[in-house]
Amino acid sequence: MSTATLSPAPAAASVRSADDTRIGLRSNLRHLGALTRRNLMRIKADPESMLDALLVPVIMILLFVYVFGGAMASNQHEYMQYMVPGLLGTTGLNLAMALGTGLNTDFQTGVMDRFRTLPIGRSAVLLSKMIAETLRAVVAFVVLIGFALILGLEVKGGPLALLAAVGLSLVFGASLMWVSMLLGMAMRSAQAVQGMAMLVMMPLQFGSSIFADPSTMPGWLQAFTKHNPLSALADACRALINGGAVGNSAVTVLIWSAAITALTAPLAVARFRKRT
């Protein structure tokens, strides 16, 4: 009798497992909305998590414009017009890399163990984090641009060009979020993720045209700067905001974004399914 009672259990588990792998589009969207709301509620419950998005852009502008502006350009206003558009890219990079640390912490604290027991689409977990982080980036861009306008930034290209620069920065930042999440799942601790993120961010940020004209750099560094996607992003945003010719910079950014996403997104999803 005991054998007859227990025998249906494996079959039921097998059916449930098979059903979990065939979640419809409507269910996936519902899960995505619920998880995104959860991530936003976590930010609301922990407002300090927004400090980097609110304060880092302000500190970066004050530090570089008023400390280095006189040395980098003939006057601080001229340097602001050069540097602030590039900060859109580096702000998106910093926030994107922070995503991996949060994901690693979720694994360490057991949050992902709870998701493992639920019949939800695995990709919805990652996409919901990307959406929440994108909204944080939008807030950071608003603070950055608003503070720069107060200090005298001129948007010569007009509002639509400014929106295009923000949109381009968001697209590139979203591609880097996949890299960050992959690092967050590959590293054993949040500290390791932060250390690896710094190794990625520092050369990309300072080996680019964000803070200085590449023509002032040594030849070997100019070669790196020329192929650095952040240089293309900074040049495109600078042209849009200052009313210059964008040229191939925007196309280069889009190509880099598509290539990074195509390479790292499947790896991140596969790694997440393996861990959960």
Side-chain angles (χ1 to χ4, degrees), residues 29-237:
L29 292 176
R30 187 172 66 251
H31 300 159
L32 180 61
L35 291 171
T36 300
R37 182 176 180 274
R38 171 189 174 274
N39 290 328
L40 294 177
M41 292 297 293
R42 288 182 64 184
I43 295 176
K44 182 180 179 181
D46 183 21
E48 290 83 1
S49 63
M50 285 294 297
L51 288 179
D52 58 341
L54 297 175
L55 296 182
V56 170
V58 174
I59 294 173
M60 293 286 281
I61 292 178
L62 292 175
L63 178 65
F64 282 93
V65 171
Y66 293 104
V67 175
F68 301 110
M72 294 289 190
S74 58
N75 59 71
Q76 293 171 338
H77 176 73
E78 180 181 340
Y79 185 63
M80 181 183 296
Q81 293 294 135
Y82 180 88
M83 186 269 299
V84 169
L87 278 185
L88 291 174
T90 193
T91 299
L93 172 63
N94 291 333
L95 292 177
M97 287 302 168
L99 179 57
T101 304
L103 184 62
N104 184 277
T105 301
D106 285 345
F107 275 104
Q108 300 300 328
T109 55
V111 173
M112 293 303 171
D113 291 334
R114 295 172 57 190
F115 290 150
R116 185 184 305 162
T117 63
L118 300 175
I120 60 176
R122 296 295 183 256
S123 59
V125 179
L126 299 181
L127 290 175
S128 66
K129 287 186 170 295
M130 289 185 63
I131 293 174
E133 200 63 32
T134 299
L135 294 176
R136 283 208 328 136
V138 170
V139 172
F141 289 155
V142 170
V143 172
L144 170 65
I145 295 170
F147 187 66
L149 289 173
I150 292 174
L151 295 181
L153 176 71
E154 299 179 34
V155 184
K156 300 176 183 178
L160 292 180
L162 178 60
L163 290 177
V166 171
L168 200 61
S169 300
L170 287 175
V171 169
F172 185 70
S175 69
L176 293 178
M177 289 180 193
W178 291 109
V179 178
S180 179
M181 289 190 292
L182 186 59
L183 288 176
M185 290 180 285
M187 301 289 117
R188 293 187 177 182
S189 66
Q191 291 80 4
V193 177
Q194 290 176 342
M196 184 60 67
M198 288 298 296
L199 291 176
V200 173
M201 289 190 299
M202 294 294 286
L204 287 177
Q205 288 183 11
F206 293 100
S208 70
S209 63
I210 292 177
F211 302 109
D213 187 345
S215 63
T216 63
M217 303 175 185
W220 62 269
L221 187 54
Q222 288 186 33
F224 175 81
T225 302
K226 180 180 179 181
H227 296 93
N228 186 343
L230 275 183
S231 293
L233 178 59
D235 293 342
C237 292

Side-chain angles (χ1 to χ4, degrees), residues 13-33:
S14 177
V15 171
R16 185 179 62 184
S17 177
D19 290 341
D20 290 349
T21 62
R22 295 193 297 268
I23 299 175
L25 176 62
R26 182 177 299 179
S27 296
N28 264 310
L29 292 176
R30 187 172 66 251
H31 300 159
L32 180 61

